[in-house]
Amino acid sequence: MSGYDSYTTTFTPEGRLLQIEYAMERINKEKPTVGVLTKEGVIVGTERKEKHKLQDGVKNSSHKIDDHIFCFVSGNTADSTTLIDQARLFSQRFTYTYNKEAPCEQVVKMVCEEKHFYTQFGSYRPLGVYFMYAGYDDVEGFQLYSSDPSGNYSSWKAHVTGQNAVAAYGSSGYSTSINPQTILKSDYDEDMSFKDGLKLAVKVIYKAIDTHEPKGDRFEVNYITKQDGKLVQKELDDETLNTLIEEIKKEEDEEKEKEK
């Protein structure tokens, strides 16, 4: 492949853009990020970044774009800073101009157009960052989107990205041999309650964490839902996460008993 990966604008004879594939491989080495869509809200979560003992605070993976939409980022997160700022500015300008919140898909498309711009010139490199968006608007209701370094985006009912989440698994630093996508496919139900959606998101992360008995402080799970007719964005606290983990462990033990 010598020479074909020197520029983002050069296709291989097979029609591949290697620089973009390299950026995607960067995402595939990250800890899994999972999103679950329910009729009552959207949940997105990941394993919390480890904190150095001398570090004062740690940067979260979640970022609020506007009152009706937030995102999780993975990959080369430094590339996400400008994109998040642009998304916030676009959403605020839309509200100022039209006196209503920007549709979620339009915010996602704006970010993707900027990502795609960096794949069209040989002097640039792709932005190696993956976004997972959770939002709500009056037209489509609750929505879950993802966008990759190429500028492509998709809407999902449930989705996971990162290590163990792709077909070509390769080696993994995670102790589990269970594919997170498999868990979503088997356990997801369009009619599931919001609490069941929370439990499913936590279960996927729980299965992927390289610790035998993970606690709630290892998780970062945010959600958007409606309470008393108003949209709210919140992060699950450690106590709630530990409760969900205990429920998941209890269900696993019951399943093992049935198999005996």
Side-chain angles (χ1 to χ4, degrees), residues 4 8 34-35 69 109 118 126 140 151 162 171 181 189 204 221 231 239:
Y4 291 113
T8 58
V34 59
I69 183 171
K109 284 181 68 175
Y118 281 84
E140 298 293 338
S171 60
Q181 199 72 264
D189 184 349
V204 172
V221 180
L231 281 176
E239 183 180 351

Side-chain angles (χ1 to χ4, degrees), residues 198-209:
L198 285 171
K199 188 186 294 185
L200 176 57
V202 172
K203 181 179 180 179
V204 172
I205 305 167
Y206 172 81
K207 290 286 189 178
I209 287 181

Side-chain angles (χ1 to χ4, degrees), residues 19-248:
Q19 285 283 342
I20 294 176
E21 291 187 15
Y22 296 159
M24 289 298 299
E25 188 60 29
R26 173 70 174 83
I27 310 302
N28 294 336
K29 294 183 181 298
E30 287 291 301
K31 297 171 181 178
T33 298
V34 59
V36 178
L37 173 67
T38 73
K39 294 180 179 179
E40 302 169 69
V42 192
I43 307 102
V44 184
T46 187
E47 181 182 351
R48 191 177 296 279
K49 295 177 181 178
E50 294 183 13
K51 179 181 176 181
H52 190 278
K53 65 179 181 180
L54 299 180
Q55 189 176 2
D56 184 16
V58 63
K59 188 176 181 180
N60 288 340
S61 298
S62 61
H63 301 270
K64 181 178 178 179
I65 296 176
D66 208 334
D67 290 338
H68 68 296
I69 183 171
F70 71 87
C71 68
F72 268 58
V73 297
S74 58
N76 187 21
T77 53
D79 288 349
S80 70
T81 305
T82 300
L83 292 172
I84 292 169
D85 286 344
Q86 290 180 351
R88 288 168 174 164
L89 185 60
F90 173 86
S91 186
Q92 290 298 308
R93 282 176 171 169
F94 189 99
T95 302
Y96 180 81
T97 303
Y98 299 104
N99 197 31
K100 64 178 181 179
E101 294 174 333
C104 296
E105 188 171 5
Q106 288 198 28
V107 178
V108 175
K109 284 181 68 175
M110 188 283 303
V111 175
C112 290
E113 286 171 0
E114 188 68 16
K115 284 184 177 183
H116 184 57
F117 176 83
Y118 281 84
T119 69
Q120 295 176 293
F121 300 91
S123 57
Y124 293 162
R125 67 161 175 81
L127 299 177
V129 64
Y130 195 100
F131 280 58
M132 195 171 292
Y133 315 79
Y136 175 90
D137 60 49
D138 292 333
V139 177
E140 298 293 338
F142 290 105
Q143 297 156 75
L144 174 67
Y145 289 94
S146 69
S147 65
D148 62 35
S150 71
N152 285 321
Y153 73 93
S154 300
S155 61
W156 301 91
K157 297 174 182 176
H159 186 53
V160 63
T161 184
Q163 285 192 13
N164 285 343
V166 291
Y169 307 121
S171 60
S172 170
Y174 291 92
S175 59
T176 178
S177 60
I178 298 176
N179 177 259
Q181 199 72 264
T182 303
I183 299 174
L184 286 181
K185 287 180 179 179
S186 62
D187 292 8
Y188 179 77
D189 184 349
E190 288 186 42
D191 296 321
M192 71 191 327
S193 67
F194 183 70
K195 182 182 178 181
D196 288 339
L198 285 171
K199 188 186 294 185
L200 176 57
V202 172
K203 181 179 180 179
V204 172
I205 305 167
Y206 172 81
K207 290 286 189 178
I209 287 181
D210 57 348
T211 301
H212 182 61
E213 294 289 341
K215 300 297 183 181
D217 58 0
R218 291 290 303 274
F219 296 72
E220 182 182 352
V221 180
N222 288 39
Y223 63 86
I224 182 170
T225 187
K226 278 192 172 184
Q227 292 180 356
D228 299 324
K230 295 182 179 180
L231 281 176
V232 294
Q233 295 182 32
K234 289 186 178 180
E235 180 178 353
L236 282 185
D237 56 69
D238 291 350
E239 183 180 351
T240 304
L241 284 165
N242 285 326
T243 300
L244 290 171
I245 291 169
E246 289 301 318
E247 290 180 11
I248 292 167

